[in-house]
Structures are given as structure tokens and as C-alpha cells.
Amino acid sequence: MMRACVIGNPVSHSKSPLIHRYWLEKYKIPGTYDALAVAPENLEAEVEKLVSQNYSGFNVTIPHKEKIIALCDERDESAKKIGAVNTVVIKDKKLRGLNTDAFGFIENIKTAQPGLKLEGAAALILGAGGAARAAVSGLLDADVQRILIANRTREKAEDIAADFSTNKIEVIDWNARETALGDIDLLANTTALGMKGQPELEISLGNLRGNAAVCDIVYAPLETALLRAAKEKGNKIIPGIGMLLHQARPAFQAWTGTMPEVTPELEKRVLA
Ligand code: NAP
């Protein structure tokens, strides 16, 4: 029996209950998955309750992704590298923290553009928040040759380069993002720009190579202005909804032993 939930504040917008309940039904696994609003000051007490109620684990969303680390007894490599936990597995009253965003980022690329070779490729990441760290971690594991990072606040990009400590990462100025497009195989927007209610990402794709792919991890709207511009230019695109769906898979597997699939039906339900 899987007993899980997502904790966050706010949490009502989360698509995780819909995704995990779909898989419970599809794979005929008995279980429950709820959304639990948890204020920052109640985090520790609420987590203790989940442990005492024999939960299999839980997902963690804003604003708890970093604070939860201190409550975990152990963390997997991905959570350590990214510096955030989005999934917790409870076993023998112990908490193991995972981060599945890097997996989700890479699986989304592989599924949306199976012909895109990441090994040896050069990527430009826009942004230097938690999602950018996950993208960098996934791309390094996929053996890309070079990662350029451009962020409005340059120091945050420098921090990522220092934390991953590899000469594959190069930080460039936010204002140099258009010039860099001529040197890359993959452009990934990991900023909040382009999301509903946020300003648009300002970037002209004039320098982008014809065979480069463009990924936007923003999924509301489904097709951002960035993806539309890339499509109009004839470039391959990778929408962010796939990352949202794929990042949930390792969590479900950790709690149930079954690695679930992302199906067109699931995608339809999440978009509805
Ligand atoms: P975060 O840690 O808060 O980082 C936000 C990033 O956006 C920072 O790099 C920030 O730059 C940049 N930014 C925000 N406003 C900006 C502006 N006006 N001009 C330039 N840059 C700006 O957030 P996150 O967790 O990394 O998430 C980023 C986005 O990815 C969100 O929209 C989130 O919904 C989405 N996301 C999607 C998935 C998925 O599954 N598809 C997963 C995770 C996240 P500064 O450092 O200069 O502030």
C-alpha cells in the first residue's frame, strides 16, 4: 500500500496528486496521494506526523525544498549535487531525500527529441535557480561537453559553476545570451520568465543554429513565446510539461517498486 502526499505552501496548484493517483489506478496499486498545505514553521512537526502515520513518503514543493534537507537522514547523489530535495522516501522511520528534477529534465529531452545527441553537445542554460541546478546536473550526467549559464544575477550562476566544479561550465553575462546562441546545440530556459503572470523572456533567436533544440521548462502556458519563436524558425522544441510528468516517475517507483510510464492519457489529464 502506497501512502504519500505533496507538502508545500501553497499546494493546491500542484499536479502531483493527479499524476500519482492516475498511476495508482493504472497499475492497480492500492494507495492514496494527497496535497497537504504546510506552513514553514510547522514543517518538522508535520513531517513527524507523516512518519508516525506510516507514510511511504512525500513530495516537497515551494518553500520547503531546501529546508527539508536538514530533516533527512540521508540524501541521494542528485539531491546533494542540486542542493534540494523534492521527494522523500520513508523506511524504518528514516527519511531519504531524493531530487528527481534532473531525471525529469533529461527524460523530457530524450522523449520529445529522441534524435538529439546530448553526449558531446553544448548547451546554454538561462537561469540559475533550483531548476537550473537540476538541468546542469542532468546534462553533466548525460556527458555534454560544455554548459554556458546566463543569469540576470551573475553571482548565482558563478555559485553553480563553483558547486559543480568542472571546467565544462562557463558563466556568461545575461546580456551575452543572444551572441552565445551561435555556439550551442541546446538552449534551455529555466527562468520563470514566460510563465503565466511573469514577464516574457526577451531573446531574439537570430543567431541560433538551424539544428539546435530549444527547451522551455515553463509549462504554463504549454507553448511559451520562446517555443513558438523556435518553432517558427524551424528549430526542434521541447516543452516543459514533459519534465513535470517525468520527474514524478522515480518518486512513484521509490514508493511502490513500479516505474510508471508517461502516457498520452496522463498528459491529457494534466493539461485539462
Ligand atoms: P527559482 O529558484 O526561484 O529561480 C528563478 C530564476 O528565474 C532565477 O534564475 C531568476 O534570476 C530568474 N528570473 C526570475 N525573474 C526574472 C526576470 N524578471 N528577469 C530575469 N530572470 C528572472 O525558481 P526555479 O525553482 O529554478 O524554477 C524556475 C521556473 O521553472 C519556474 O517557472 C518553475 O515553475 C519552472 N519549473 C518547471 C519544472 C517542470 O517540471 N517543468 C520543474 C521545476 C521548475 P535571478 O537569479 O536573477 O533572480
Side-chain angles (χ1 to χ4, degrees):
M1 158 103 184
M2 176 186 113
R3 195 158 183 220
C5 65
V6 52
I7 62 170
N9 194 25
V11 78
S12 56
H13 67 284
S14 173
K15 301 283 185 199
S16 294
L18 200 161
I19 297 171
H20 288 284
R21 286 176 193 164
Y22 169 82
W23 284 330
L24 286 172
E25 191 188 313
K26 178 174 164 61
Y27 296 101
K28 299 187 172 45
I29 296 170
T32 59
Y33 189 104
D34 302 306
L36 192 64
V38 173
E41 61 275 20
N42 298 335
L43 180 64
E44 192 165 352
E46 290 295 336
V47 167
E48 273 172 24
K49 268 194 222 162
L50 298 178
V51 174
S52 68
Q53 290 167 8
N54 292 321
Y55 267 68
S56 320
F58 52 94
N59 286 123
V60 187
T61 186
I62 290 167
H64 305 309
K65 280 187 180 186
E66 284 87 22
K67 287 215 186 90
I68 194 72
I69 292 175
L71 303 181
C72 288
D73 299 286
E74 53 175 304
R75 278 180 298 156
D76 76 345
E77 271 312 302
S78 193
K80 281 185 199 159
K81 278 192 219 161
I82 297 167
V85 160
N86 71 351
T87 302
V88 172
V89 181
I90 306 172
K91 207 173 167 203
D92 302 328
K93 311 265 178 217
K94 296 258 185 270
L95 270 58
R96 182 161 62 89
L98 322 176
N99 191 308
T100 64
D101 276 340
F103 174 89
F105 179 78
I106 295 295
E107 281 295 300
N108 184 32
I109 293 177
K110 286 185 182 165
T111 312
Q113 293 298 339
L116 180 69
K117 195 165 167 260
L118 289 175
E119 193 186 342
L124 169 59
I125 303 285
L126 302 179
R133 283 178 179 267
V136 166
S137 177
L139 289 171
L140 288 173
D141 285 346
D143 250 342
V144 296
Q145 195 206 3
R146 197 159 167 248
I147 302 175
L148 304 175
I149 309 178
N151 191 48
R152 176 181 60 176
T153 312
R154 188 182 165 115
E155 297 75 46
K156 280 174 67 183
E158 306 274 10
D159 287 347
I160 296 184
D163 290 347
F164 282 87
S165 90
T166 160
N167 57 14
K168 288 183 172 181
I169 299 179
E170 187 188 329
V171 174
I172 63 167
D173 272 343
W174 180 241
N175 289 337
R177 62 194 184 280
E178 286 179 1
T179 320
L181 293 177
D183 300 326
I184 54 152
D185 308 292
L186 173 70
L187 166 67
N189 174 41
T190 75
T191 72
L193 296 173
M195 197 168 89
K196 223 186 276 172
Q198 295 284 332
E200 284 300 341
L201 167 65
E202 284 174 25
I203 189 164
S204 154
L205 299 182
N207 292 334
L208 191 69
R209 292 177 186 164
N211 59 356
V214 176
C215 172
D216 199 335
I217 74 160
V218 168
Y219 57 84
L222 206 54
E223 190 170 273
T224 58
L226 172 66
L227 292 179
R228 215 168 29 252
K231 208 158 87 174
E232 276 163 14
K233 207 174 165 295
N235 287 82
K236 296 174 276 228
I237 63 160
I238 303 159
I241 186 74
M243 176 174 173
L244 176 76
L245 300 173
H246 283 284
Q247 61 79 29
R249 293 172 59 214
F252 191 85
Q253 183 187 34
W255 300 325
T256 65
T258 297
M259 183 57 140
E261 293 303 321
V262 169
T263 62
E265 170 65 18
L266 174 60
E267 196 168 326
K268 212 166 85 190
R269 286 198 198 184
V270 170
L271 295 178

